[in-house]
């Protein structure tokens, strides 16, 4: 298996069930099951050729497993987030230590800006940034200055926690998601996912996608399009508004 790059992950902490829930009703979370699901998710990354790197655990931060929200990697630059939920800001330090060790150039979002990594979607030379509950206009403006050379497009998000809760991109840069949760006027086009969880696609390789087991119709649709689709059960994280994109940060071997 070729070396696709490095996948940053963070193991679920003991307070996982206390994570913030905004748009869905809270239900009990089984920590032991969540850890098994996280192990399977990590195994899927490894099987696809990604070298898994653990971000230091943050046991006092219930949402820390959603490591994507702490950093945006764009080329050889790591932009450290300033999460919109103040109680999540302590999660960033552990991620900073790892991206520094990887040799990435470090930038950061500063107040009064706020930005969650889950609101940032790179598709080709365009970076879409969700404007909503966690990411504000100032955070978007700061990010635009830090990802020089790429067009930055703000997208208003409604009814979902983050932009990547509502849409993601396929390998060719085309978008898939739930139009009811987005201002689609900012988008060149949006393929409608057959179910909400189908809006969450992780690109593991040029023709390889990772999806949640909660999106079987989307998985079948994309497989029919010729993609190799890997499916993982992340139900305990979905109970906390998490999705397959939230649980990792992919740093490709060939940075661009």
């Amino acid at each position: 298996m070729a070396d696709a790059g490095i996948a940053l992950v963070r193991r679920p902490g003991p307070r996982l069930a206390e994570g913030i829930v905004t748009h869905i009703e809270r239900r009990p979370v089984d920590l032991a099951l969540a850890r098994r699901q996280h192990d399977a998710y990590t195994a899927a990354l490894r099987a696809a050729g990604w070298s898994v790197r653990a971000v230091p655990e943050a046991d006092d931060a219930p949402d820390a497993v959603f490591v994507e929200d702490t950093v945006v990697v764009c080329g050889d630059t790591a932009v450290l987030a300033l999460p919109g939920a103040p109680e999540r800001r302590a999660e960033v330090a552990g991620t900073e230590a790892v991206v520094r060790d990887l040799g990435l150039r470090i930038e950061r979002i500063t107040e009064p800006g706020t930005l969650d990594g889950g609101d940032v979607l790179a598709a080709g030379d365009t970076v879409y940034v969700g404007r909503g509950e966690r990411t504000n206009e100032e955070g978007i403006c700061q990010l635009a200055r830090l990802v020089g050379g790429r067009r930055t497009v703000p997208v208003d998000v409604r009814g979902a926690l983050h932009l990547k809760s509502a849409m993601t991109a396929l390998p060719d840069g085309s978008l898939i998601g739930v139009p009811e949760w987005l201002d689609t006027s900012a988008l060149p086009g949006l393929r409608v996912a057959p179910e909400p969880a189908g809006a969450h696609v992780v690109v593991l390789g040029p023709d390889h996608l990772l999806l949640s087991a909660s999106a079987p119709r989307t998985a079948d649709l994309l497989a029919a399009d010729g993609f190799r689709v890997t499916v993982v059960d992340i139900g305990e994280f979905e109970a906390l508004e998490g999705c397959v994109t939230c649980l990792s940060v992919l740093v490709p071997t060939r940075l661009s």
Side-chain angles (χ1 to χ4, degrees):
M1 177 66 69
D3 180 15
I6 296 170
L8 309 183
V9 301
R10 178 147 44 192
R11 186 167 171 77
R15 297 178 57 196
L16 176 69
E18 301 171 37
I20 303 168
V21 172
T22 306
H23 293 281
I24 61 175
E25 289 189 17
R26 185 177 294 277
R27 72 161 175 82
V29 172
D30 183 329
L31 178 59
L33 176 57
R35 285 178 167 164
R36 292 196 297 274
Q37 290 178 350
H38 194 264
D39 288 344
Y41 175 93
T42 301
L45 297 178
R46 287 196 178 98
W50 293 86
S51 175
V52 173
R53 178 77 176 265
V55 174
E57 296 181 26
D59 287 352
D60 289 333
D63 287 297
V65 68
F66 302 122
V67 67
E68 177 189 48
D69 290 324
T70 61
V71 68
V72 174
V73 175
C74 190
D76 63 356
T77 300
V79 181
L80 298 171
L82 186 65
E87 58 267 46
R88 295 200 60 190
R89 293 178 184 177
E91 300 172 25
V92 176
T95 306
E96 178 177 1
V98 173
V99 293
R100 282 190 184 280
D101 189 57
L102 293 178
L104 298 176
R105 183 168 63 90
I106 304 298
E107 300 286 356
R108 64 182 73 240
I109 303 299
T110 59
E111 292 183 309
T114 63
L115 183 133
D116 279 17
D119 274 321
V120 182
L121 173 63
D125 291 330
T126 300
V127 178
Y128 297 97
V129 190
R131 181 168 46 204
E133 299 170 24
R134 301 292 180 86
T135 297
N136 65 16
E137 189 73 30
E138 173 62 21
I140 295 172
C141 291
Q142 290 184 29
L143 183 69
R145 293 192 293 269
L146 296 172
V147 294
R150 303 200 186 200
R151 187 170 67 106
T152 303
V153 178
V155 181
D156 288 329
V157 180
R158 49 182 178 265
L161 183 62
H162 291 121
L163 177 68
K164 289 169 78 172
S165 303
M167 77 171 190
T168 47
L170 298 173
D172 66 357
S174 62
L175 306 173
I176 184 169
V178 181
E180 294 81 7
W181 294 348
L182 298 160
D183 176 11
T184 57
S185 68
L187 308 176
L190 183 70
R191 184 175 188 176
V192 179
E195 59 259 286
H200 319 141
V201 175
V202 176
V203 176
L204 296 177
D207 61 354
H208 190 183
L209 307 175
L210 180 70
L211 274 80
S212 167
S214 299
R217 288 179 291 157
T218 307
D220 289 345
L221 181 70
L222 294 172
D225 286 347
F227 289 106
R228 175 186 170 199
V229 178
T230 296
V231 173
V232 290
D233 182 358
I234 58 161
E236 297 308 290
F237 303 104
E238 289 170 332
L240 296 165
E241 293 180 289
C243 52
V244 286
T245 60
C246 308
L247 294 169
S248 62
V249 176
L250 302 185
V251 184
T253 296
R254 306 188 80 178
L255 299 173
S256 60

